[in-house]
Each structure stands twice: as C-alpha cells, then as structure tokens.
Amino acid sequence: MPAAVKVIVLRTAGTNCDEETVFAFQSFGARVDRVHINRLFHQDVRLDDYHILAIPGGFTYGDDIESGRILANELRLKLGPDMDRFIRGGKLIIGICNGFQVLVKSGILPGLADKKADEKESLVREATLTNNDSGKFEDRWCYLKAEGKSVWTQGLEPIVYYPVAHAEGKFVVRDKDVLVKMNGNGQVAFRYCNAQGKKTGYPGNPNGSAEDIAGITDPTGRILGLMPHPERHFSFIQHPFWTRLQHSGPYGHGAKIFENGVNYVKRTLL
C-alpha cells in the first residue's frame, strides 16, 4: 500500500473554515487530521509527522489585538523550533485568509530574512495585513491573476475567481525594498484584477493592497498565503454564476491548489 500524504489542518478558538479545507485535501486522496493547536502544545500530536500544514480561515481568538496576531505569536513563541524544522524539511504550508494573516504576522512570510545570518532579524515583520481601505468588512467575489512559480499555483488558469471575506486584508510592506525583492523572486502568487486580467480599483481590489497583491509565497514557493478562499470555490457549482457557464467538470477554480499540494508531496517527499 503506497504511503499516504499527511495533512494537518490547524484549528483553535474562532477557526471556521477547517472542515472545507479538510474536504478539499481529502478529495485528492490525502489523509487529513483536523487538530486543535493545544494538542501540539501538549505534544499529543507532532508536526513532524505531517507533510502539509494548512492554517484555514476564520477569526482566531476573535481577532483580538489584530487579525491573526495571537495565533501567530503562538506559532512563533510556543512552536518555533517545530515550525522551523518543518519548513527546513522541505514541507508545504498554506495559509488562507486568517491563515495568511498568521503566516505574515509570525514572520514566516514573505520569508526574506536570512535566519542563519541573523536570528534576530528573522523575527522582524517585513509585511502585514491591515484594515481595508473601505473601513468595512468585505464579502464579495474577486478576479485574481495567478503569477509566480509556486508549487501551489502550477496549472492554474491565468485568471481565477475566488470569494473574499475579511476586514483586515490590505497587504502592506515595511519598505519598498521588500516589494522589489518579492517581485524579483517571483513571490507574488496572486494579484487582484478585473475579468480581463487588467489592473483594477475598488471593489475589484477589495482592500487596497499594495500592487494589488492578494497572495504571496516564500522564496522557495512552498509556503503560500492568500486572502481569497480557494476552498470556497472547490466545486464548479459554487461559482455564483454556475448555471450560466459551460460545465467543464466537477471542480471550481480553487481545487487545483489542493491537488498541487498533494501531488508535490507524492513526487518529492514520499
């Protein structure tokens, strides 16, 4: 019997997209465990036993202080060595919406700092996700242009359609040098656009993100964070206009991301 791709979907107080994320990975044959973070703290479950870490959407800890900050601090301060070993082991991480906020605010993304050169510098936040320019919660569908060379985005259609649901989704960077490095490394995975793939303003860019950035990776392309929800367009019939479209199969635009993650593990880690 072939070895299974093992995915851990992390949850805690306020997580609310974990079941959909579990379903998405299971649909491509992965063995998925939905695990409360306290089990990692108590070492009932070991992160080392998994190939993919998924941090789903929601409002962890009520978004107190700021969205994703408390869970980010827990990963950094309580699970730092485990996370570092997981990343250095060539494994995959995906953070969706609140999960993206967690990855950015923990310093895992964009991941430009060299930990080997300067451990303290690695803890400096190079970017963040802050309040939408509209000053309100944005719940809508958005067009995205897929870019970069991430293992997660291989084979995606050039323009995909995902829903967003967030109040703090504006991606901003510490300084222009961070953007220059990210663009040079091909770390921008998704940009908000219009239906033709052209630059757009509000509401096509629902939050005012710098350079219309909706999702990024680390320099290796193995760690992906994005504000839109691919797990909410996993099925073709989840498209808001599906009855007007030509049926092209069971899957929606988001499914390929999860298939890519599972297939990458099969090719490289099993």
Side-chain angles (χ1 to χ4, degrees):
M1 184 175 179
V5 176
K6 300 177 189 176
V7 180
I8 178 171
V9 175
L10 191 65
R11 70 180 184 90
T12 189
T15 301
N16 67 12
C17 295
D18 43 324
E19 294 284 2
E20 296 95 322
T21 307
V22 168
F23 176 82
F25 280 112
Q26 284 180 336
S27 297
F28 293 108
R31 196 194 84 187
V32 189
D33 293 329
R34 183 170 156 267
V35 176
H36 195 284
I37 195 169
N38 285 348
R39 298 187 67 195
L40 293 177
F41 295 159
H42 299 151
Q43 298 185 339
D44 298 331
V45 175
R46 298 174 67 252
L47 192 58
D48 289 342
D49 293 336
Y50 295 90
H51 305 109
I52 300 175
L53 167 64
I55 308 176
F59 305 90
T60 51
Y61 302 107
D63 283 345
D64 288 347
I65 305 176
E66 60 180 350
S67 295
R69 170 61 80 86
I70 295 176
L71 182 54
N73 285 349
E74 288 183 323
L75 292 184
R76 183 171 62 86
L77 300 174
K78 295 184 177 182
L79 296 174
D82 295 339
M83 291 293 296
D84 188 60
R85 191 165 56 248
F86 190 89
I87 293 168
R88 292 186 186 279
K91 298 180 179 182
L92 301 183
I93 300 177
I94 183 170
I96 302 169
C97 196
N98 196 243
F100 183 22
Q101 294 162 337
V102 169
L103 291 177
V104 169
K105 294 174 184 183
S106 65
I108 294 172
L109 285 178
L112 296 171
D114 186 350
K115 289 189 176 184
K116 292 181 180 179
D118 186 344
E119 191 67 27
K120 291 183 179 180
E121 176 64 19
S122 71
L123 302 179
V124 175
R125 283 167 59 181
E126 301 157 315
T128 194
L129 290 144
T130 189
N131 295 324
N132 301 339
D133 280 354
S134 65
K136 63 182 181 181
F137 187 86
E138 296 289 342
D139 184 4
R140 64 181 71 251
W141 284 71
C142 293
Y143 291 101
L144 306 167
K145 183 185 294 184
E147 298 185 7
K149 300 176 181 179
S150 172
V151 301
W152 291 101
T153 58
Q154 296 300 303
L156 282 180
E157 296 184 26
I159 301 172
V160 294
Y161 200 45
Y162 297 156
V164 299
H166 58 252
E168 298 177 41
K170 181 179 179 177
F171 181 78
V172 297
V173 295
R174 184 181 60 194
D175 52 47
K176 290 183 178 180
D177 188 51
V178 172
L179 275 178
V180 170
K181 289 180 179 178
M182 285 176 52
N183 285 316
N185 293 339
Q187 288 180 246
V188 177
F190 296 100
R191 296 186 199 267
Y192 299 108
C193 64
N194 64 18
Q196 292 74 44
K198 304 296 184 182
K199 185 176 177 62
T200 187
Y202 181 82
N205 176 337
N207 46 51
S209 286
E211 295 190 3
D212 302 309
I213 292 173
I216 66 171
T217 71
D218 72 325
T220 73
R222 292 184 289 103
I223 303 173
L224 170 67
L226 69 163
M227 285 310 298
H229 286 267
E231 82 285 5
R232 295 184 184 178
H233 192 189
F234 184 84
S235 170
F236 173 79
I237 62 173
Q238 289 176 306
H239 193 295
F241 310 125
W242 73 273
T243 57
R244 308 176 202 174
L245 301 176
Q246 182 177 355
H247 198 290
S248 57
Y251 296 122
H253 288 174
K256 189 66 176 175
I257 286 180
F258 302 97
E259 182 182 25
N260 283 340
V262 172
N263 287 342
Y264 178 84
V265 171
K266 290 179 179 177
R267 290 195 310 268
T268 64
L269 298 178
L270 293 185

